[in-house]
Amino acid sequence: MRYEAPETVEGAATLLAGTAGDVRVLAGGTDLLVQLRSDIVDPTLIVDIKKIAETRRITEEGGGFRIGAAVTGAELKEHERLKQVWPGVVEAANLIGSTQVQGRATLGGNLCNGSPAADSVPALIAAGAVATLAGPKGRRDLAVEDVMLGPRKLALTKGEFVLSFLLPPRPPRSADAYLRFIPRTEMDIAVVGAGVNLTLDEAGTITAARVSLGAVAPRVLLVREAAQAIVGSRLDKAAQDRLEAAARAVCAPIDDKRGTVEFRIQVAGVLTRRAALIALDRARTR
Ligand SMILES: Cc1cc2nc3c(=O)[nH]c(=O)nc-3n(C[C@H](O)[C@H](O)[C@H](O)COP(=O)(O)OP(=O)(O)OC[C@H]3O[C@@H](n4cnc5c(N)ncnc54)[C@H](O)[C@@H]3O)c2cc1C
């Protein structure tokens, strides 16, 4: 097994595209090293992207934020402005594992590991984040909801990797929130994860919303029907009920030791409602 740590985007893309066999990107390694040690993967080449400056920085861009794919959850939490503007995204990244894991785990790795239960992915999708991919043919942008196709299946082509994420400009009176349910207090995989991002007008009516659910289907879902259920409302009880019903309706979860199908569907509705109420509360004070 070969290990390379290129310092340029082009160098990484050339290595990834030009090497036969199983070629893997290395970011924090909190998934990849576990898989290597358990003989789940046996790559011919590992390309560590952490020496590429663009993958490691957070910058303000066009009124939004560009976050490098290899920025860790701990680094996101230390960025005061990002934490204030996108609290749901930062919270989600900091639910991953433990303090030690958060010091290594990245947004790019969380998405590209291809788990439907990945915690930061529903928050990124609710935020309307766009992933910038780099590859041998250059760069392209893809909405985060379109990157994962199914468990361990990504829309990335040979040689492509996620370079960064762009969080859009935040309108006034808007905010996000992410909640997950796990059977233990920490260090467990989400039974359900729910991300909600919404914008209010001056009267407190929701003018725009995005809702995303993790761990209830083979991929993390953007739930447009749930957003439609609350746009035009002030999230009164009737709108909350519509939101819950719409969230439940899209769930097609697995049945396992962490939760039955019925339980996951029930929890998806409850968490979506709660996340929306937190986002609403935050949006009112902005
Ligand atoms: C103890 C423990 C607890 C955990 N708890 C949680 C949890 O609560 N919630 C949760 O969601 N996850 C959890 N995880 C899983 C893991 O920590 C996260 O998925 C993490 O975000 C992975 O990021 P990483 O940078 O370590 O990825 P890596 O391990 O470096 O990479 C993961 C996969 O993505 C690929 N990859 C990485 N970066 C890129 C990129 N930029 N472009 C293309 N491909 C890329 C790699 O090739 C690999 O296949 C846990 C893991 C451990 C060990």
Side-chain angles (χ1 to χ4, degrees):
M1 187 175 69
R2 219 171 109 210
Y3 168 89
E4 298 283 353
E7 291 178 14
T8 64
V9 174
E10 296 70 28
T14 305
L15 281 165
L16 290 166
T19 312
D22 187 7
V23 179
R24 298 276 171 159
V25 170
L26 174 70
T30 60
D31 279 314
L32 188 60
L33 292 195
V34 175
Q35 291 161 11
L36 279 172
R37 297 232 166 121
S38 321
D39 294 326
I40 295 168
V41 295
D42 183 18
T44 47
L45 171 68
I46 286 184
V47 179
D48 187 338
I49 57 167
K50 292 192 291 297
K51 287 198 176 153
I52 304 169
E54 269 186 80
T55 71
R56 294 282 305 126
R57 61 187 179 218
I58 304 172
T59 49
E60 297 206 25
E61 183 180 309
F65 286 92
R66 184 168 291 282
I67 304 173
V71 170
T72 67
E75 287 165 337
L76 295 178
K77 198 162 66 177
E78 282 172 11
H79 196 291
E80 285 306 323
R81 184 134 169 76
L82 182 72
K83 209 164 60 173
Q84 189 223 330
V85 180
W86 289 102
V89 171
V90 176
E91 280 161 3
N94 282 281
L95 283 171
I96 295 176
S98 57
T99 303
Q100 292 90 333
V101 172
Q102 287 150 21
R104 301 291 302 177
T106 67
L107 291 183
N110 201 220
L111 174 64
C112 297
N113 190 50
S115 163
D119 277 307
S120 69
V121 180
L124 285 173
I125 292 176
V130 171
T132 296
L133 314 181
K137 291 186 189 149
R139 298 179 185 203
R140 65 180 175 121
D141 288 341
L142 199 57
V144 171
E145 59 268 27
D146 295 328
V147 174
M148 198 205 290
L149 304 174
R152 312 261 178 249
K153 277 190 72 183
L154 305 178
L156 274 56
T157 57
K158 173 82 178 158
E160 273 189 324
F161 65 103
V162 178
L163 185 59
S164 60
F165 297 93
L166 185 64
L167 293 175
R170 204 357 113 245
R173 295 176 299 279
S174 87
D176 64 333
Y178 174 78
L179 292 174
R180 72 167 183 188
F181 176 82
I182 54 172
R184 305 193 299 172
T185 51
E186 60 178 23
M187 301 281 278
D188 208 339
I189 298 169
V191 168
V192 177
V196 178
N197 181 32
L198 47 79
T199 304
L200 309 176
D201 65 14
E202 281 175 8
T205 301
I206 298 171
T207 56
R210 284 174 68 93
V211 176
S212 177
L213 283 170
V216 295
R219 60 194 280 194
V220 181
L221 302 174
L222 170 65
V223 192
R224 291 193 174 84
E225 303 82 349
Q228 281 157 12
I230 56 173
V231 169
S233 82
R234 301 179 75 176
L235 206 54
D236 51 24
K237 175 77 171 56
Q240 290 176 35
D241 290 346
R242 288 197 303 273
L243 175 67
E244 273 208 40
R248 288 200 182 113
V250 296
C251 295
I254 56 165
D255 211 335
D256 73 2
K257 62 183 177 187
R258 291 191 177 80
T260 59
V261 168
E262 295 74 16
F263 179 71
R264 283 172 194 258
I265 293 174
Q266 173 74 17
V267 173
V270 172
L271 283 192
T272 307
R273 178 197 294 251
R274 289 182 187 170
L277 287 169
I278 295 170
L280 178 76
D281 216 37
R282 288 173 172 167
R284 279 181 177 145
T285 59
R286 282 151 186 260

